[in-house]
Amino acid sequence: MKRPVSLALAVLVVFALLISACGQQAATPAAAPSAAAAPSAAAAPSAAAVPTTGEKPQSGGTLSFVVNAEPPSFDAHRETSFALLHPAAPHYSTLYRFDPGDLTKIVPDVAAAMPEISADKLTWTIKLRSDVKFHDGTPMTSEDVLATYNKIIFPPSGVVSSRQGAYAVVDRMEAPVKDSIVFRLKYPSASFQAGLASPWNWVYSAAKLKTDIKWYEKNVMGTGPFSYVNYVKGASWEGKKNPDYFIKGQPYLDGYKALFITDATAGVNAIRGKQAQIEFRGFTPQQRDDLSRALPNDLAIQEAPWICVNYIVPNTKKKPFDDPRVRRALTLAIDRYALGAALSKITIVRDVGGLMRPGGPFAMADADLEKIAGFSKDGKASKDKAKALLAEAGVTNLTFEFLNRNISTPYEPVAVGIIDQWKQAGITATHKVKETTAYLADLSAGNFDVGLDFNCDFLDEPDLQLAKFQSASKGGKGLNRGGYDDAKLDTMIDAQSRETDPAKRKVLVGAIERYAMDEMAYQTPAPWWFRIIPHNNKVRGWRVGSNHYTNQDLVSVWLAK
Amino acid sequence: MRRALRGVVDFVKRRPLGGAGAVLIVWMVLAAALAEVITTHDPTSNSFADLLKPPSLEFPFGTDQFGRDVFTRILYGSRTALIVGFGASLTGSTLGYFFGVVGAYVGGWVDGAIQRLMDVLISFPLIVIAIAVVAALGPGTLNVVVAITIPIIPRVARVVRSSALTVVSMPYVEATRSIGTRSARIMFRHVAPNVFAPYLIMLTAFLGQAILLEASLSFLGLGVAEPTAAWGLMLRGAGMQFLERAPWLAIAPGVAISAAVFGFNLFGDSLRDALDPRLRSA
Amino acid sequence: MRRYVVGRLLLIVPTLVGVAILTFVVMRLVPGDIVELRYAGSGAAVAQEIIDMERRTLGLDKPMALQFVDWMSGLARGDLGTSLWTGRSVGEEVMLRLGLSLELAIISTFIAVALAIPAGVLAAVRQDTRVDYVLRLISIGGLSLPSFWIGILTILALLTLFQWSPPLLFTPIWEDPVANLSQMIFPALAVGYRSSAVTMRMTRSSVLDVLRDDYVRTARAKGLSESLVVIRHALRNSLLPVVTVISIEFAFLIGGLVVTEQVFNLNGVGKLLVDAVAHRDYTLIQSIVMLLAAVFVLVNFLIDMLYVTLDPRVRTS
């Protein structure tokens, strides 16, 4: 009778050992830190890893890449998810685009040159290329561009245009001749040029839109470097080289295949097993390290600060968060530098910044930033100030729920880090994680105490990044989760938008940041996201940029043999 | 007391696998009860200086991505596991037991209605129930218990009902009925105790499954939320993400879950053998 | 007999109607809105008017009762509707995944049966011996591991040992059996092992049950060899409950492998259902839930019929 017991225990031990053995196997390479495989220090995109210059691109080959979500419809004017841009952007062109060699520069795509702007800055005339053809062989003319922009800016009723509001400055458009289009603006705008390079504004065929304005929701037909082959829902999207593409000799690839893999680990494994060469959105630091250990000779790593950030948003409609002192205490309690340094080891956030991306053209100087509540390098002193402020506001034992989205990268670690910072200042926050759809419903209904909101844009552009800060009942409707109305802030945001001198504009933006983050402490950023792209080093001609929306038409990408 | 002890000794003697299971369960309960005594670390406080430290004397199972002691979180996590396991299987099985007995005894349209309701619940995909509950109520430990309880109810009700039907048709129940004893009394005094064995068997079988389900819900982002210490969450979150860099993050909760479920299953399996070798239920 | 079959068949109707009502109501009670998710989910600024317009287009602004009637009348006409998320027909969305899910369920069931029946019989024949204990330990072990854990360890082992991982895209088995099986075999093994534990347990207790019956004793008394007794009498007569368990497991496997499909990146019905629920894609959720419920109800009906044909006692009662 004793035997079976020992037998049971023996089996149990073997079983436990088996599990740990599996882990051990994985651990062995982990223990050996290889200098070559740890390029995490490289902050800027390292040119060595992406030899775009000096090397002659080779033609041929099929690029396989991972997309970790699925597109809803095929119409980019309507959708807002990168999951449509990654597989389908190669089929289309835009008026202007971001230079694949220097992603801060806007260059013509189907436009023939940069716009001619009238002296009063209200009339923009854009010449178009005459050699652009749709995949069905018809030539592209100003009619097509006009129809496209009409659909985006003045959609007929029943047609959804997600970014219509961003073009409120446009009064009307004309296509006087076949090869040029004219935009007439209501007032001078600092961001209109960038708006014309939006990765969402694919040029559609006027003829197709005429037959059915919703034709592009279910069909694909553009002027881009690759034509559409097929799409298997839940599995893959394929494109092949457009031989009539207007830049001769490009694209270099024969075709591409986007693989839809929603599970993060499965996505990494696809690259590790060489079934895919790249994923264009971003991986976590440990996924990067795992890949570089597994593929020491086949991996290149590109990294860049990302125009994505999580905001800590107190609900100003709820007590005690209607009191600016309480909101300031919340942001003061967070030692962002310590948080950023720690989180950068485990997830995709890193740099501390204000409302504009750190390292970007509008980022506040460090010295100025450190004067803002919650951005001082002396975290201890800030926490003491936070406690004093709470006492002054008559709030003791501040306890609330912190609403978050059930996504592990980076929402979960960011929230856990912030909650711990608050805990150290005597503030108790309960982590309330909800599934994305329910989380959004709570945010928009104001059904939360303090929430962790998020924002991602395709460009360093105050108009985009400050949109969330406008009054909740006016311009910030559906975006401003704090629920406040502030006419002063609206006026400030409007003024910077009309200022076309970059230096003066930066000063205006700085004043907005001080007002919104410090004085009123409406919404304050966690450390900004940091984009990490470990990819097969055969992939060349693609550079990481500050966002995962632009530079996805694959026109300059090639595969080394 | 002594008789109870002898019963236990007898059970272990005749059912060594069940005995081994019981040892694992007792171990888990002790860990849950004595967590504060065994460890001095806080299960939720971050320590950025101690990120991802391998196992050492200070941190026997290493530290996680927030510098928290994994050993401590395993201990506190056994509380969550016990709450989820016992909470869901006790509530679910008891409700199922109730519906099964009432259906079988009362019969008629009541039985029909209960059976249809149970059929609906049992053919309803579990994942939809789970997401619905968690999305509507949020992923607190108690809500996870609710989500896991619902699918247990019809499964227990079915088994209990079919056993209760045999009891109801037995001569002594019919006899008591003819004497004029009130229905509710017969039901609780005579029918219910006689179908206690299948109830107990289902209960123990679902203990382990509930813990596994919590882990699966965690994997889908619908389980217990950070920073609460929960095994499923530890295995899914850090365990999967740092599998290669810090395998101890996955080994500890993986072994904890497997050992606990293994213990409950061993015990349940032997209990089934001991109580009723002829019980035909899935 | 005929009355029993018809009566039993009629019972399916209220069950399915119940499932329909439950799905419909539960999903609409859960907070969240597909239109809001579509736009705000990726952080875009979309005007309230656009959201309202989109909801009108999808018919989400109609009263709930009317939506339900629309759905039911569509179902009656065989029209499942279109997915709210992709705008494609629900039938098309589901059919695309059904092949993979069916195949995975079939292979897993084969593996489970191949493991469970011999193990279950052996454990019963050698009850309370070391063989019995070891077999039960192995089988209970299968029920004790989180399924995603087995999956992830399997993939990691393949990657570390062979620098190979299963293909990511589904190839139908008649097109390329090797590619198909190399994708399906590992998830099928993981699922089959777990599933075999349930079947093995039932086989064991069912065989034990029969071994105690009189005619087996008679057969033994007649001097038939032990293996003949087991195979010819015990196993055959104990099959009914085993078949029941296998069928119910099979019905579950078609839509229940949510986690496994996620880990192995399989484009199956379970993953589709999870995505649909996450999107609040009501039409798609309703159709999948109805499909899975129908399979489940039908399997149960068939089992009952099997009992009736084999067991005259049920027929008369």
Side-chain angles (χ1 to χ4, degrees), chain B residues 176-207:
Chain B
T176 15
R177 222 182 203 172
S178 61
I179 306 172
T181 318
R182 271 181 307 135
S183 298
R185 205 160 147 209
I186 306 179
M187 197 162 80
F188 291 114
R189 293 287 288 276
H190 299 283
V191 183
N194 277 301
V195 290
F196 203 68
Y199 162 71
L200 215 58
I201 289 168
M202 297 296 278
L203 175 74
T204 42
F206 280 118
L207 270 170

Side-chain angles (χ1 to χ4, degrees), chain C residues 38-100:
Chain C
R38 176 174 224 147
Y39 299 108
S42 30
V46 176
Q48 189 59 41
E49 299 82 64
I50 292 180
I51 291 185
D52 292 342
M53 183 175 81
E54 190 86 326
R55 300 194 80 229
R56 268 198 304 282
T57 320
L58 296 176
L60 294 174
D61 59 330
K62 290 190 201 166
M64 244 166 79
L66 199 64
Q67 290 184 43
F68 187 74
V69 170
D70 280 354
W71 176 40
M72 282 291 126
S73 65
L75 269 188
R77 279 179 279 117
D79 174 16
L80 297 174
T82 49
S83 157
L84 302 180
W85 185 253
T86 63
R88 281 162 193 265
S89 106
V90 165
E92 185 189 322
E93 297 276 356
V94 175
M95 284 315 290
L96 186 70
R97 276 90 171 178
L98 201 58
L100 184 144

Side-chain angles (χ1 to χ4, degrees), chain A residues 3 7 72 74 78-80 158-162 218 233-234 261-263 269-270 275 405 435 437 441 444 454 479, chain C residues 36 38-45 50 53-54 86-88 93 130 155 159 165-166 168 265 267 271 278 280:
Chain A
R3 263 196 213 136
L7 191 70
F74 298 174
R78 164 197 162 107
E79 300 304 338
T80 59
V159 173
V160 175
S161 169
S162 296
K218 289 180 187 172
K233 279 207 43 86
I261 302 177
T262 43
D263 185 73
N269 287 341
Q275 300 199 47
R405 188 179 189 180
E435 183 233 1
T437 320
S444 65
F454 64 99
L479 282 177
Chain C
E36 193 169 69
R38 176 174 224 147
Y39 299 108
S42 30
I50 292 180
M53 183 175 81
E54 190 86 326
T86 63
R88 281 162 193 265
E93 297 276 356
R130 217 183 280 190
I155 295 179
L159 275 170
S165 62
L168 293 165
N265 197 54
N267 192 18
K271 196 161 161 252
R280 307 288 189 272

Side-chain angles (χ1 to χ4, degrees), chain C residues 76-294:
Chain C
R77 279 179 279 117
D79 174 16
L80 297 174
T82 49
S83 157
L84 302 180
W85 185 253
T86 63
R88 281 162 193 265
S89 106
V90 165
E92 185 189 322
E93 297 276 356
V94 175
M95 284 315 290
L96 186 70
R97 276 90 171 178
L98 201 58
L100 184 144
S101 285
L102 268 178
E103 189 192 331
L104 184 57
I106 292 170
I107 303 181
S108 308
T109 307
F110 265 116
I111 292 172
V113 170
L115 290 174
I117 304 252
V121 173
L122 196 61
V125 174
R126 301 279 166 81
Q127 190 190 10
D128 289 333
T129 65
R130 217 183 280 190
V131 177
D132 180 26
Y133 291 142
V134 169
L135 286 173
R136 278 165 70 199
L137 275 176
I138 294 174
S139 123
I140 290 172
L143 275 181
S144 309
L145 296 163
S147 48
F148 67 93
W149 182 224
I150 308 183
I152 287 170
L153 287 184
T154 310
I155 295 179
L156 195 67
L158 290 173
L159 275 170
T160 341
L161 298 177
F162 306 108
Q163 280 80 47
W164 179 88
S165 62
L168 293 165
L169 297 180
F170 180 67
T171 332
I173 193 158
W174 53 87
E175 271 175 31
D176 185 349
V178 177
N180 175 283
L181 286 178
S182 54
Q183 184 187 23
M184 303 297 274
I185 195 70
F186 294 100
L189 276 172
V191 174
Y193 173 40
R194 196 208 64 86
S195 177
S196 76
V198 183
T199 313
M200 184 251 174
R201 182 190 269 185
M202 181 50 77
T203 312
R204 178 176 174 274
S205 63
S206 185
V207 169
L208 275 180
D209 205 1
V210 176
L211 280 178
R212 294 193 191 100
D213 274 344
D214 292 342
Y215 62 93
V216 174
R217 286 201 204 129
T218 322
R220 272 194 185 133
K222 278 198 300 193
L224 292 179
S225 81
E226 185 66 23
S227 57
L228 203 65
V229 172
V230 169
I231 291 168
R232 193 181 282 172
H233 297 278
L235 184 57
R236 207 209 265 159
N237 287 297
S238 57
L239 267 183
L240 203 50
V242 176
V243 170
T244 309
V245 168
I246 295 172
S247 327
I248 291 178
E249 272 288 303
F250 177 77
F252 163 78
L253 290 185
I254 292 177
L257 298 177
V258 174
V259 170
T260 306
E261 285 176 1
Q262 191 111 346
V263 170
F264 286 93
N265 197 54
L266 299 174
N267 192 18
V269 175
K271 196 161 161 252
L272 183 67
L273 179 59
V274 171
D275 287 346
V277 176
H279 292 152
R280 307 288 189 272
D281 187 345
Y282 297 146
T283 44
L284 190 53
I285 300 167
Q286 288 159 3
S287 298
I288 301 175
V289 170
M290 289 310 286
L291 173 80
L292 298 181

